[in-house]
Amino acid sequence: MTPGADQIVAHHAALLAIPALVPAVVVVGVILYIARKDRREELEERDIIERAFEPDDDTKENE
């Protein structure tokens, strides 16, 4: 074996891929953030609707 054969050397293609990979990661992060925010807002909206259709305590006592 030649000296240093057990070392892993990065290929220049990996360095060229970094500038293309970073914007892709940012786009995925933004999409995940928007989806998470949308789901939270939907849950809050459902809670508001459910509370609006719940019978009041006063109406339960009058029946």
Side-chain angles (χ1 to χ4, degrees):
M1 285 189 116
T2 59
D6 58 341
Q7 293 179 355
I8 298 174
V9 181
H11 194 271
H12 70 278
L15 294 175
L16 294 175
I18 291 172
L21 186 64
V22 172
V25 170
V26 170
V27 168
V28 169
V30 169
I31 290 171
L32 290 175
Y33 171 77
I34 292 171
R36 187 174 176 194
K37 183 179 173 186
D38 187 47
R39 291 212 175 162
R40 270 196 226 138
E41 289 175 358
E42 183 180 346
L43 287 174
E44 290 174 7
E45 186 177 339
R46 282 187 182 179
D47 288 341
I48 291 171
I49 291 171
E50 287 176 5
R51 280 188 266 137
F53 286 109
E54 285 180 354
D56 294 335
D57 291 334
D58 296 337
T59 59
K60 288 181 183 176
E61 291 174 3
N62 292 337
E63 291 179 355

Short mmCIF file of all heavy atoms in Angstrom, two decimals:
data_model
loop_
_atom_site.label_atom_id
_atom_site.label_comp_id
_atom_site.label_asym_id
_atom_site.label_seq_id
_atom_site.Cartn_x
_atom_site.Cartn_y
_atom_site.Cartn_z
N MET A 1 0.83 -1.19 0.00
CA MET A 1 0.00 0.00 0.00
C MET A 1 0.87 1.24 0.00
O MET A 1 1.93 1.26 0.60
CB MET A 1 -0.88 0.04 1.25
CG MET A 1 -2.06 -0.90 1.24
SD MET A 1 -3.08 -0.52 2.65
CE MET A 1 -4.52 -0.01 1.82
N THR A 2 0.36 2.24 -0.65
CA THR A 2 1.10 3.50 -0.66
C THR A 2 0.77 4.28 0.60
O THR A 2 -0.32 4.15 1.16
CB THR A 2 0.72 4.33 -1.90
OG1 THR A 2 -0.68 4.58 -1.86
CG2 THR A 2 1.08 3.61 -3.16
N PRO A 3 1.69 5.08 1.06
CA PRO A 3 1.42 5.86 2.27
C PRO A 3 0.25 6.83 2.01
O PRO A 3 0.16 7.45 0.97
CB PRO A 3 2.71 6.63 2.52
CG PRO A 3 3.72 6.10 1.58
CD PRO A 3 3.02 5.27 0.56
N GLY A 4 -0.64 6.92 2.99
CA GLY A 4 -1.77 7.81 2.87
C GLY A 4 -2.93 7.25 2.08
O GLY A 4 -3.87 7.95 1.75
N ALA A 5 -2.92 5.98 1.74
CA ALA A 5 -3.98 5.38 0.95
C ALA A 5 -5.25 5.20 1.77
O ALA A 5 -6.33 5.07 1.21
CB ALA A 5 -3.53 4.04 0.40
N ASP A 6 -5.12 5.23 3.09
CA ASP A 6 -6.29 5.05 3.93
C ASP A 6 -7.03 6.38 4.17
O ASP A 6 -8.03 6.40 4.87
CB ASP A 6 -5.90 4.41 5.26
CG ASP A 6 -4.86 5.23 6.01
OD1 ASP A 6 -4.20 6.08 5.37
OD2 ASP A 6 -4.73 5.03 7.22
N GLN A 7 -6.57 7.46 3.60
CA GLN A 7 -7.24 8.74 3.76
C GLN A 7 -8.30 8.92 2.67
O GLN A 7 -8.10 8.52 1.53
CB GLN A 7 -6.23 9.88 3.65
CG GLN A 7 -5.25 9.91 4.78
CD GLN A 7 -4.26 11.05 4.62
OE1 GLN A 7 -4.26 11.74 3.61
NE2 GLN A 7 -3.41 11.22 5.62
N ILE A 8 -9.41 9.50 3.06
CA ILE A 8 -10.47 9.78 2.10
C ILE A 8 -10.31 11.23 1.66
O ILE A 8 -10.28 12.14 2.47
CB ILE A 8 -11.86 9.55 2.72
CG1 ILE A 8 -12.00 8.09 3.13
CG2 ILE A 8 -12.95 9.97 1.76
CD1 ILE A 8 -13.28 7.80 3.88
N VAL A 9 -10.21 11.41 0.38
CA VAL A 9 -10.02 12.74 -0.17
C VAL A 9 -11.32 13.17 -0.86
O VAL A 9 -11.92 12.40 -1.62
CB VAL A 9 -8.85 12.75 -1.19
CG1 VAL A 9 -8.64 14.14 -1.75
CG2 VAL A 9 -7.59 12.22 -0.54
N ALA A 10 -11.76 14.38 -0.55
CA ALA A 10 -13.00 14.89 -1.16
C ALA A 10 -12.77 15.14 -2.64
O ALA A 10 -11.73 15.62 -3.06
CB ALA A 10 -13.43 16.16 -0.46
N HIS A 11 -13.76 14.81 -3.40
CA HIS A 11 -13.70 15.04 -4.83
C HIS A 11 -14.15 16.47 -5.10
O HIS A 11 -14.98 17.01 -4.39
CB HIS A 11 -14.60 14.03 -5.54
CG HIS A 11 -14.36 13.95 -7.01
ND1 HIS A 11 -15.01 14.74 -7.89
CD2 HIS A 11 -13.51 13.18 -7.74
CE1 HIS A 11 -14.60 14.47 -9.12
NE2 HIS A 11 -13.68 13.52 -9.04
N HIS A 12 -13.64 17.08 -6.15
CA HIS A 12 -14.00 18.47 -6.45
C HIS A 12 -15.48 18.62 -6.82
O HIS A 12 -16.05 19.68 -6.68
CB HIS A 12 -13.12 19.04 -7.55
CG HIS A 12 -13.37 18.45 -8.90
ND1 HIS A 12 -12.84 17.25 -9.29
CD2 HIS A 12 -14.12 18.89 -9.94
CE1 HIS A 12 -13.25 16.97 -10.52
NE2 HIS A 12 -14.02 17.95 -10.94
N ALA A 13 -16.11 17.54 -7.23
CA ALA A 13 -17.54 17.60 -7.54
C ALA A 13 -18.37 17.90 -6.29
O ALA A 13 -19.40 18.55 -6.37
CB ALA A 13 -17.99 16.31 -8.18
N ALA A 14 -17.90 17.42 -5.13
CA ALA A 14 -18.61 17.70 -3.89
C ALA A 14 -18.56 19.20 -3.59
O ALA A 14 -19.55 19.79 -3.15
CB ALA A 14 -18.00 16.92 -2.75
N LEU A 15 -17.43 19.82 -3.84
CA LEU A 15 -17.31 21.26 -3.62
C LEU A 15 -18.17 22.05 -4.60
O LEU A 15 -18.72 23.09 -4.26
CB LEU A 15 -15.85 21.71 -3.74
CG LEU A 15 -14.90 21.18 -2.66
CD1 LEU A 15 -13.48 21.60 -2.98
CD2 LEU A 15 -15.32 21.68 -1.30
N LEU A 16 -18.32 21.55 -5.80
CA LEU A 16 -19.16 22.22 -6.79
C LEU A 16 -20.65 22.05 -6.48
O LEU A 16 -21.47 22.88 -6.87
CB LEU A 16 -18.85 21.70 -8.19
CG LEU A 16 -17.45 22.03 -8.71
CD1 LEU A 16 -17.24 21.34 -10.05
CD2 LEU A 16 -17.25 23.52 -8.84
N ALA A 17 -21.00 21.00 -5.76
CA ALA A 17 -22.40 20.74 -5.45
C ALA A 17 -22.91 21.59 -4.28
O ALA A 17 -24.10 21.82 -4.17
CB ALA A 17 -22.60 19.28 -5.12
N ILE A 18 -22.02 22.07 -3.44
CA ILE A 18 -22.43 22.85 -2.28
C ILE A 18 -23.24 24.09 -2.65
O ILE A 18 -24.31 24.32 -2.07
CB ILE A 18 -21.21 23.19 -1.39
CG1 ILE A 18 -20.68 21.91 -0.74
CG2 ILE A 18 -21.57 24.22 -0.33
CD1 ILE A 18 -19.38 22.09 0.00
N PRO A 19 -22.83 24.90 -3.61
CA PRO A 19 -23.63 26.08 -3.96
C PRO A 19 -25.02 25.72 -4.50
O PRO A 19 -25.95 26.50 -4.37
CB PRO A 19 -22.81 26.78 -5.04
CG PRO A 19 -21.42 26.34 -4.82
CD PRO A 19 -21.53 24.93 -4.31
N ALA A 20 -25.19 24.56 -5.06
CA ALA A 20 -26.50 24.14 -5.55
C ALA A 20 -27.33 23.54 -4.42
O ALA A 20 -28.56 23.59 -4.45
CB ALA A 20 -26.34 23.14 -6.67
N LEU A 21 -26.69 22.97 -3.44
CA LEU A 21 -27.38 22.30 -2.35
C LEU A 21 -27.94 23.28 -1.33
O LEU A 21 -29.04 23.08 -0.82
CB LEU A 21 -26.42 21.31 -1.67
CG LEU A 21 -27.01 20.42 -0.60
CD1 LEU A 21 -28.06 19.50 -1.22
CD2 LEU A 21 -25.92 19.60 0.06
N VAL A 22 -27.22 24.34 -1.05
CA VAL A 22 -27.65 25.30 -0.03
C VAL A 22 -28.99 25.95 -0.39
O VAL A 22 -29.90 25.98 0.45
CB VAL A 22 -26.55 26.36 0.22
CG1 VAL A 22 -27.05 27.47 1.12
CG2 VAL A 22 -25.32 25.69 0.83
N PRO A 23 -29.20 26.47 -1.60
CA PRO A 23 -30.52 27.03 -1.91
C PRO A 23 -31.64 25.99 -1.84
O PRO A 23 -32.76 26.31 -1.42
CB PRO A 23 -30.38 27.56 -3.33
CG PRO A 23 -28.93 27.76 -3.53
CD PRO A 23 -28.27 26.72 -2.69
N ALA A 24 -31.36 24.76 -2.19
CA ALA A 24 -32.38 23.71 -2.12
C ALA A 24 -32.78 23.47 -0.66
O ALA A 24 -33.97 23.31 -0.36
CB ALA A 24 -31.86 22.43 -2.75
N VAL A 25 -31.83 23.47 0.23
CA VAL A 25 -32.12 23.29 1.65
C VAL A 25 -32.93 24.47 2.18
O VAL A 25 -33.88 24.29 2.95
CB VAL A 25 -30.81 23.10 2.46
CG1 VAL A 25 -31.07 23.15 3.95
CG2 VAL A 25 -30.14 21.80 2.07
N VAL A 26 -32.61 25.67 1.74
CA VAL A 26 -33.36 26.86 2.16
C VAL A 26 -34.80 26.78 1.66
O VAL A 26 -35.75 27.06 2.42
CB VAL A 26 -32.67 28.15 1.66
CG1 VAL A 26 -33.55 29.36 1.88
CG2 VAL A 26 -31.33 28.34 2.34
N VAL A 27 -35.00 26.37 0.44
CA VAL A 27 -36.36 26.27 -0.12
C VAL A 27 -37.17 25.23 0.66
O VAL A 27 -38.33 25.47 1.02
CB VAL A 27 -36.31 25.91 -1.62
CG1 VAL A 27 -37.67 25.50 -2.14
CG2 VAL A 27 -35.76 27.08 -2.41
N VAL A 28 -36.57 24.09 0.97
CA VAL A 28 -37.27 23.06 1.74
C VAL A 28 -37.61 23.60 3.13
O VAL A 28 -38.72 23.36 3.64
CB VAL A 28 -36.41 21.78 1.84
CG1 VAL A 28 -36.98 20.81 2.86
CG2 VAL A 28 -36.31 21.12 0.49
N GLY A 29 -36.71 24.34 3.74
CA GLY A 29 -36.97 24.92 5.06
C GLY A 29 -38.14 25.89 5.03
O GLY A 29 -38.99 25.88 5.93
N VAL A 30 -38.20 26.73 4.01
CA VAL A 30 -39.30 27.68 3.88
C VAL A 30 -40.62 26.95 3.68
O VAL A 30 -41.64 27.30 4.29
CB VAL A 30 -39.03 28.67 2.73
CG1 VAL A 30 -40.25 29.50 2.40
CG2 VAL A 30 -37.86 29.58 3.08
N ILE A 31 -40.63 25.93 2.86
CA ILE A 31 -41.86 25.16 2.62
C ILE A 31 -42.33 24.49 3.91
O ILE A 31 -43.53 24.52 4.23
CB ILE A 31 -41.63 24.12 1.50
CG1 ILE A 31 -41.48 24.84 0.16
CG2 ILE A 31 -42.77 23.11 1.44
CD1 ILE A 31 -41.05 23.96 -0.97
N LEU A 32 -41.42 23.91 4.67
CA LEU A 32 -41.80 23.27 5.93
C LEU A 32 -42.32 24.29 6.93
O LEU A 32 -43.28 24.03 7.66
CB LEU A 32 -40.61 22.51 6.52
CG LEU A 32 -40.18 21.27 5.76
CD1 LEU A 32 -38.93 20.67 6.38
CD2 LEU A 32 -41.29 20.25 5.74
N TYR A 33 -41.73 25.48 6.97
CA TYR A 33 -42.19 26.54 7.87
C TYR A 33 -43.61 26.97 7.52
O TYR A 33 -44.47 27.10 8.39
CB TYR A 33 -41.24 27.74 7.79
CG TYR A 33 -41.76 28.95 8.53
CD1 TYR A 33 -41.69 29.01 9.91
CD2 TYR A 33 -42.32 30.02 7.84
CE1 TYR A 33 -42.18 30.12 10.60
CE2 TYR A 33 -42.81 31.12 8.51
CZ TYR A 33 -42.74 31.17 9.89
OH TYR A 33 -43.23 32.25 10.55
N ILE A 34 -43.88 27.17 6.23
CA ILE A 34 -45.21 27.59 5.79
C ILE A 34 -46.24 26.51 6.09
O ILE A 34 -47.35 26.80 6.57
CB ILE A 34 -45.20 27.97 4.30
CG1 ILE A 34 -44.38 29.23 4.09
CG2 ILE A 34 -46.60 28.13 3.76
CD1 ILE A 34 -44.11 29.57 2.65
N ALA A 35 -45.90 25.25 5.84
CA ALA A 35 -46.84 24.15 6.10
C ALA A 35 -47.14 24.04 7.58
O ALA A 35 -48.30 23.85 7.98
CB ALA A 35 -46.26 22.84 5.57
N ARG A 36 -46.13 24.19 8.41
CA ARG A 36 -46.33 24.11 9.87
C ARG A 36 -47.21 25.25 10.35
O ARG A 36 -48.12 25.05 11.16
CB ARG A 36 -44.97 24.14 10.55
CG ARG A 36 -45.01 23.91 12.01
CD ARG A 36 -43.61 23.83 12.56
NE ARG A 36 -43.66 23.69 14.01
CZ ARG A 36 -42.63 23.85 14.79
NH1 ARG A 36 -41.45 24.14 14.27
NH2 ARG A 36 -42.75 23.72 16.08
N LYS A 37 -46.96 26.44 9.86
CA LYS A 37 -47.75 27.62 10.24
C LYS A 37 -49.20 27.44 9.79
O LYS A 37 -50.12 27.76 10.54
CB LYS A 37 -47.14 28.86 9.59
CG LYS A 37 -47.83 30.13 9.95
CD LYS A 37 -47.15 31.31 9.28
CE LYS A 37 -47.93 32.56 9.51
NZ LYS A 37 -47.41 33.69 8.77
N ASP A 38 -49.41 26.92 8.60
CA ASP A 38 -50.75 26.72 8.07
C ASP A 38 -51.52 25.70 8.92
O ASP A 38 -52.71 25.88 9.20
CB ASP A 38 -50.67 26.25 6.62
CG ASP A 38 -52.03 26.18 5.96
OD1 ASP A 38 -52.81 27.13 6.10
OD2 ASP A 38 -52.30 25.15 5.31
N ARG A 39 -50.86 24.64 9.33
CA ARG A 39 -51.53 23.63 10.16
C ARG A 39 -51.90 24.19 11.52
O ARG A 39 -52.96 23.89 12.05
CB ARG A 39 -50.63 22.42 10.33
CG ARG A 39 -50.49 21.67 9.03
CD ARG A 39 -50.33 20.22 9.27
NE ARG A 39 -50.32 19.53 7.99
CZ ARG A 39 -49.86 18.34 7.84
NH1 ARG A 39 -49.37 17.69 8.85
NH2 ARG A 39 -49.89 17.77 6.66
N ARG A 40 -51.03 25.01 12.11
CA ARG A 40 -51.36 25.63 13.39
C ARG A 40 -52.57 26.52 13.27
O ARG A 40 -53.46 26.50 14.12
CB ARG A 40 -50.18 26.46 13.90
CG ARG A 40 -49.24 25.68 14.74
CD ARG A 40 -48.34 26.62 15.50
NE ARG A 40 -46.99 26.15 15.39
CZ ARG A 40 -45.93 26.89 15.19
NH1 ARG A 40 -46.06 28.18 15.07
NH2 ARG A 40 -44.75 26.37 15.10
N GLU A 41 -52.61 27.34 12.21
CA GLU A 41 -53.74 28.24 12.01
C GLU A 41 -55.03 27.45 11.79
O GLU A 41 -56.10 27.85 12.26
CB GLU A 41 -53.48 29.17 10.83
CG GLU A 41 -52.43 30.21 11.12
CD GLU A 41 -52.09 31.06 9.92
OE1 GLU A 41 -52.65 30.82 8.83
OE2 GLU A 41 -51.25 31.96 10.07
N GLU A 42 -54.95 26.33 11.09
CA GLU A 42 -56.13 25.50 10.87
C GLU A 42 -56.65 24.92 12.19
O GLU A 42 -57.86 24.89 12.43
CB GLU A 42 -55.80 24.37 9.90
CG GLU A 42 -56.99 23.51 9.55
CD GLU A 42 -56.64 22.40 8.57
OE1 GLU A 42 -55.57 22.45 7.96
OE2 GLU A 42 -57.46 21.48 8.46
N LEU A 43 -55.75 24.47 13.05
CA LEU A 43 -56.17 23.94 14.35
C LEU A 43 -56.83 25.02 15.20
O LEU A 43 -57.84 24.77 15.86
CB LEU A 43 -54.98 23.34 15.09
CG LEU A 43 -54.46 22.01 14.56
CD1 LEU A 43 -53.18 21.61 15.30
CD2 LEU A 43 -55.50 20.94 14.70
N GLU A 44 -56.27 26.23 15.18
CA GLU A 44 -56.87 27.33 15.93
C GLU A 44 -58.25 27.66 15.39
O GLU A 44 -59.19 27.92 16.16
CB GLU A 44 -55.97 28.56 15.87
CG GLU A 44 -54.69 28.41 16.65
CD GLU A 44 -53.74 29.59 16.47
OE1 GLU A 44 -54.15 30.59 15.83
OE2 GLU A 44 -52.62 29.51 16.96
N GLU A 45 -58.40 27.64 14.07
CA GLU A 45 -59.69 27.94 13.46
C GLU A 45 -60.72 26.87 13.84
O GLU A 45 -61.88 27.19 14.14
CB GLU A 45 -59.53 28.01 11.94
CG GLU A 45 -60.78 28.45 11.21
CD GLU A 45 -60.55 28.56 9.72
OE1 GLU A 45 -59.38 28.69 9.29
OE2 GLU A 45 -61.54 28.51 8.98
N ARG A 46 -60.32 25.61 13.84
CA ARG A 46 -61.24 24.53 14.23
C ARG A 46 -61.67 24.69 15.68
O ARG A 46 -62.83 24.46 16.01
CB ARG A 46 -60.59 23.17 14.03
CG ARG A 46 -60.58 22.72 12.62
CD ARG A 46 -60.08 21.30 12.52
NE ARG A 46 -60.03 20.89 11.13
CZ ARG A 46 -59.62 19.71 10.73
NH1 ARG A 46 -59.20 18.83 11.61
NH2 ARG A 46 -59.61 19.41 9.46
N ASP A 47 -60.72 25.06 16.56
CA ASP A 47 -61.07 25.26 17.96
C ASP A 47 -62.10 26.39 18.11
O ASP A 47 -63.06 26.26 18.88
CB ASP A 47 -59.83 25.59 18.79
CG ASP A 47 -58.93 24.39 18.99
OD1 ASP A 47 -59.42 23.25 18.81
OD2 ASP A 47 -57.75 24.59 19.33
N ILE A 48 -61.92 27.46 17.36
CA ILE A 48 -62.86 28.58 17.43
C ILE A 48 -64.24 28.14 16.95
O ILE A 48 -65.26 28.44 17.57
CB ILE A 48 -62.34 29.76 16.60
CG1 ILE A 48 -61.11 30.36 17.27
CG2 ILE A 48 -63.42 30.82 16.40
CD1 ILE A 48 -60.37 31.39 16.42
N ILE A 49 -64.29 27.39 15.87
CA ILE A 49 -65.58 26.92 15.33
C ILE A 49 -66.25 25.97 16.31
O ILE A 49 -67.46 26.06 16.55
CB ILE A 49 -65.38 26.25 13.95
CG1 ILE A 49 -64.99 27.31 12.92
CG2 ILE A 49 -66.64 25.51 13.51
CD1 ILE A 49 -64.57 26.75 11.59
N GLU A 50 -65.49 25.05 16.90
CA GLU A 50 -66.06 24.11 17.87
C GLU A 50 -66.61 24.85 19.08
O GLU A 50 -67.68 24.52 19.59
CB GLU A 50 -65.02 23.08 18.29
CG GLU A 50 -64.73 22.06 17.21
CD GLU A 50 -63.62 21.10 17.62
OE1 GLU A 50 -63.14 21.18 18.77
OE2 GLU A 50 -63.24 20.26 16.78
N ARG A 51 -65.88 25.86 19.57
CA ARG A 51 -66.37 26.63 20.71
C ARG A 51 -67.62 27.41 20.36
O ARG A 51 -68.49 27.62 21.21
CB ARG A 51 -65.29 27.57 21.22
CG ARG A 51 -64.28 26.85 22.10
CD ARG A 51 -63.33 27.81 22.75
NE ARG A 51 -62.15 27.88 21.90
CZ ARG A 51 -61.50 28.98 21.57
NH1 ARG A 51 -61.90 30.14 22.02
NH2 ARG A 51 -60.44 28.93 20.81
N ALA A 52 -67.73 27.86 19.11
CA ALA A 52 -68.90 28.64 18.69
C ALA A 52 -70.16 27.78 18.67
O ALA A 52 -71.25 28.28 18.94
CB ALA A 52 -68.65 29.25 17.32
N PHE A 53 -70.03 26.49 18.37
CA PHE A 53 -71.20 25.63 18.27
C PHE A 53 -71.48 24.84 19.54
O PHE A 53 -72.44 24.09 19.60
CB PHE A 53 -71.06 24.67 17.08
CG PHE A 53 -71.25 25.35 15.76
CD1 PHE A 53 -70.17 25.55 14.90
CD2 PHE A 53 -72.49 25.80 15.38
CE1 PHE A 53 -70.34 26.18 13.69
CE2 PHE A 53 -72.68 26.43 14.16
CZ PHE A 53 -71.60 26.63 13.32
N GLU A 54 -70.65 25.00 20.56
CA GLU A 54 -70.93 24.34 21.83
C GLU A 54 -72.10 25.02 22.51
O GLU A 54 -72.21 26.24 22.49
CB GLU A 54 -69.71 24.40 22.75
CG GLU A 54 -68.59 23.49 22.37
CD GLU A 54 -67.42 23.61 23.32
OE1 GLU A 54 -67.44 24.49 24.20
OE2 GLU A 54 -66.47 22.84 23.16
N PRO A 55 -72.97 24.25 23.13
CA PRO A 55 -74.08 24.89 23.85
C PRO A 55 -73.55 25.60 25.09
O PRO A 55 -72.60 25.16 25.73
CB PRO A 55 -74.97 23.71 24.23
CG PRO A 55 -74.14 22.50 24.12
CD PRO A 55 -73.03 22.81 23.15
N ASP A 56 -74.15 26.73 25.39
CA ASP A 56 -73.75 27.48 26.58
C ASP A 56 -74.23 26.79 27.83
O ASP A 56 -75.18 26.00 27.81
CB ASP A 56 -74.35 28.90 26.52
CG ASP A 56 -73.76 29.71 25.38
OD1 ASP A 56 -72.63 29.39 24.97
OD2 ASP A 56 -74.42 30.66 24.92
N ASP A 57 -73.63 27.11 28.95
CA ASP A 57 -74.05 26.52 30.23
C ASP A 57 -75.46 26.99 30.60
O ASP A 57 -76.22 26.28 31.21
CB ASP A 57 -73.07 26.89 31.33
CG ASP A 57 -71.73 26.20 31.13
OD1 ASP A 57 -71.71 25.13 30.49
OD2 ASP A 57 -70.72 26.73 31.61
N ASP A 58 -75.82 28.23 30.22
CA ASP A 58 -77.14 28.78 30.53
C ASP A 58 -78.24 28.00 29.82
O ASP A 58 -79.30 27.77 30.38
CB ASP A 58 -77.23 30.26 30.15
CG ASP A 58 -76.26 31.10 30.97
OD1 ASP A 58 -75.87 30.64 32.07
OD2 ASP A 58 -75.90 32.20 30.51
N THR A 59 -77.99 27.60 28.60
CA THR A 59 -79.03 26.87 27.85
C THR A 59 -79.21 25.46 28.39
O THR A 59 -80.29 24.92 28.31
CB THR A 59 -78.69 26.82 26.35
OG1 THR A 59 -77.43 26.19 26.18
CG2 THR A 59 -78.67 28.21 25.74
N LYS A 60 -78.18 24.87 28.94
CA LYS A 60 -78.29 23.53 29.54
C LYS A 60 -79.18 23.57 30.77
O LYS A 60 -79.97 22.67 31.02
CB LYS A 60 -76.91 23.00 29.91
CG LYS A 60 -76.06 22.61 28.73
CD LYS A 60 -74.74 22.07 29.21
CE LYS A 60 -73.83 21.74 28.05
NZ LYS A 60 -72.51 21.30 28.51
N GLU A 61 -79.06 24.62 31.57
CA GLU A 61 -79.84 24.72 32.80
C GLU A 61 -81.31 25.00 32.50
O GLU A 61 -82.19 24.57 33.25
CB GLU A 61 -79.27 25.84 33.67
CG GLU A 61 -77.90 25.50 34.21
CD GLU A 61 -77.27 26.67 34.97
OE1 GLU A 61 -77.94 27.71 35.11
OE2 GLU A 61 -76.13 26.52 35.40
N ASN A 62 -81.61 25.71 31.43
CA ASN A 62 -82.99 26.07 31.10
C ASN A 62 -83.77 24.90 30.53
O ASN A 62 -84.99 24.91 30.51
CB ASN A 62 -83.03 27.25 30.12
CG ASN A 62 -82.54 28.52 30.78
OD1 ASN A 62 -82.57 28.66 31.99
ND2 ASN A 62 -82.09 29.45 29.95
N GLU A 63 -83.11 23.88 30.03
CA GLU A 63 -83.83 22.78 29.39
C GLU A 63 -84.38 21.81 30.37
O GLU A 63 -84.26 21.59 31.42
CB GLU A 63 -82.89 22.05 28.43
CG GLU A 63 -82.56 22.90 27.24
CD GLU A 63 -81.60 22.18 26.30
OE1 GLU A 63 -81.12 21.07 26.63
OE2 GLU A 63 -81.32 22.71 25.23
#
